[in-house]
Amino acid sequence: MKTTFRYLAAAFTVIAAVSCAKHEELGPQVEAPVGTYQYLLNVSHENDGTKTSLGEDGLSILWSKEDQIGIACSDGKTYSEVEEAGGAQSIADAETYEPSTSASFAITLNEGYKPLAAVYPYFAAAKAAGGSNSGFKGLACSAYIPEEQTGIKDNIPANAFAMIGKINSDNTCQMLNVGAVIKFEITTEHITSLRFEGNNSEILSGARYYHTETGEWVKETEASGKTFVTLVPSGVVFEKGVYYFVVGPNTLTDGFTITLTTVKGQTVSKSTTSPFKIERNKKYTGFGSDEGWFSEIMTGAASNL
């Protein structure tokens, strides 16, 4: 996914059939292997905008031809991992696809599996969760926010903008952003990493379950999440400019700490001890009334080169 930031609203409309007998309705298709079925899933998003180039509000997304999603399924008795149900699902007609706020995904699933939810980015171990013993009502799906993200100037890191959505009985699905975006400006050319973490070891990244109808975090997955996010450059150091990183929702009860590492291996940290609530589908450019918070730590880093 390239990253156009305006929190997109990804509404999925599934067209066509869920049986091999209906393949002709989809237009020209590669013949599905025995034991699978195909349908077409048309996708948009939660907020108007795009998913891979930043919009003015920093919360939009444009689909790109390389994007892949997973479909969480059930065989009627248990929930399956998306890899078991059919693996990565790609955009239809990818070679001619141009980045847009909507896209059609050519879905191929193994026979016997009913599609329940969609997840981006593709995460092989993702699956649905629910039922009387789940501790919450409705359906959840696991999504993954990387604990290490590669910074892209003026854009969000690739494959970090996690989304999930419930596939309804009328074959529609609205994708919901599960993370939040934090904006940070690099004003010196000697920074090799940025680390963001809560002061009370709260979970901020990794795999977690999110409700498919609200996008809210409901519980940890079996492989629990991580307590930090690290942003690294694509080269040796960050170029000067504006960067973004994605974190999962949580309340940082004792505040948070940002640590910068310079090319010489020196570190500079700045902390706040006030509780800080991170909400999904939000963009943070400052903290409270302190818009100069980030510039202070950058000045400290520059003085330690």
Side-chain angles (χ1 to χ4, degrees):
M1 205 171 265
K2 295 173 182 175
T3 311
T4 301
F5 258 100
R6 227 191 296 161
Y7 266 61
L8 304 222
F12 282 2
T13 304
V14 178
I15 301 176
V18 291
S19 73
C20 295
K22 298 292 187 180
H23 288 170
E24 65 273 13
E25 296 183 26
L26 304 182
Q29 293 280 320
V30 175
E31 187 64 27
V34 175
T36 65
Y37 67 92
Q38 293 182 324
Y39 63 91
L40 199 62
L41 189 63
N42 292 331
V43 181
S44 63
H45 193 263
E46 174 180 19
N47 303 319
D48 293 335
T50 52
K51 177 184 117 346
T52 32
S53 319
L54 290 180
E56 292 182 0
D57 64 356
L59 295 174
S60 292
I61 326 172
L62 281 177
W63 295 99
S64 62
K65 63 183 180 180
E66 298 86 5
D67 285 336
Q68 293 182 318
I69 61 174
I71 305 296
C73 296
S74 170
D75 62 4
K77 297 180 181 179
T78 60
Y79 297 114
S80 68
E81 292 184 352
V82 299
E83 183 68 25
E84 177 186 351
Q89 310 292 326
S90 299
I91 285 182
D93 301 319
E95 291 304 313
T96 59
Y97 181 77
E98 295 293 333
S100 174
T101 58
S102 61
S104 296
F105 283 81
I107 307 298
T108 300
L109 298 179
N110 293 326
E111 289 285 5
Y113 287 111
K114 176 184 177 181
L116 299 174
V119 57
Y120 175 87
Y122 169 71
F123 170 42
K127 64 179 181 179
S132 58
N133 296 322
S134 64
F136 57 89
K137 294 182 179 180
L139 181 72
C141 184
S142 51
Y144 188 84
I145 295 176
E147 61 268 25
E148 182 174 293
Q149 302 171 19
T150 300
I152 301 175
K153 193 175 179 180
D154 299 320
N155 214 330
I156 58 173
N159 293 332
F161 210 60
M163 301 184 294
I164 55 92
K166 179 182 178 182
I167 298 177
N168 302 307
S169 59
D170 61 353
N171 291 334
T172 61
C173 174
Q174 184 181 59
M175 294 294 278
L176 305 172
N177 303 315
V178 302
V181 175
I182 295 180
K183 178 182 177 181
F184 192 93
E185 184 175 5
I186 301 288
T187 58
T188 181
E189 296 178 339
H190 299 81
I191 305 302
T192 59
S193 71
L194 177 155
R195 181 182 174 101
F196 180 91
E197 57 194 322
N199 294 332
N200 201 26
S201 301
E202 293 90 354
I203 301 297
L204 293 173
S205 59
R208 300 199 290 179
Y209 279 107
Y210 299 89
H211 202 285
T212 58
E213 295 181 66
T214 66
E216 300 294 340
W217 163 44
V218 294
K219 69 171 186 174
E220 304 304 329
T221 62
E222 290 79 358
S224 63
K226 307 295 183 180
T227 60
F228 63 91
V229 168
T230 299
L231 190 69
V232 297
S234 57
V236 177
V237 297
F238 288 103
E239 296 180 11
K240 290 182 180 180
V242 173
Y243 294 85
Y244 301 82
F245 56 96
V246 181
V247 297
N250 214 328
T251 298
L252 309 182
T253 56
D254 295 327
F256 60 87
T257 296
I258 287 182
T259 300
L260 301 178
T261 301
T262 70
V263 71
K264 292 184 178 181
Q266 298 168 315
T267 59
V268 179
S269 297
K270 184 172 175 61
S271 298
T272 176
T273 57
S274 300
F276 181 64
K277 184 176 182 179
I278 300 173
E279 298 181 72
R280 75 163 199 92
N281 202 28
K282 298 289 186 181
K283 184 182 75 171
Y284 298 93
T285 59
F287 299 93
S289 60
D290 187 2
E291 295 295 330
W293 200 93
F294 283 144
S295 62
E296 290 181 20
I297 187 174
M298 195 58 61
T299 300
S303 67
N304 278 272
L305 297 178

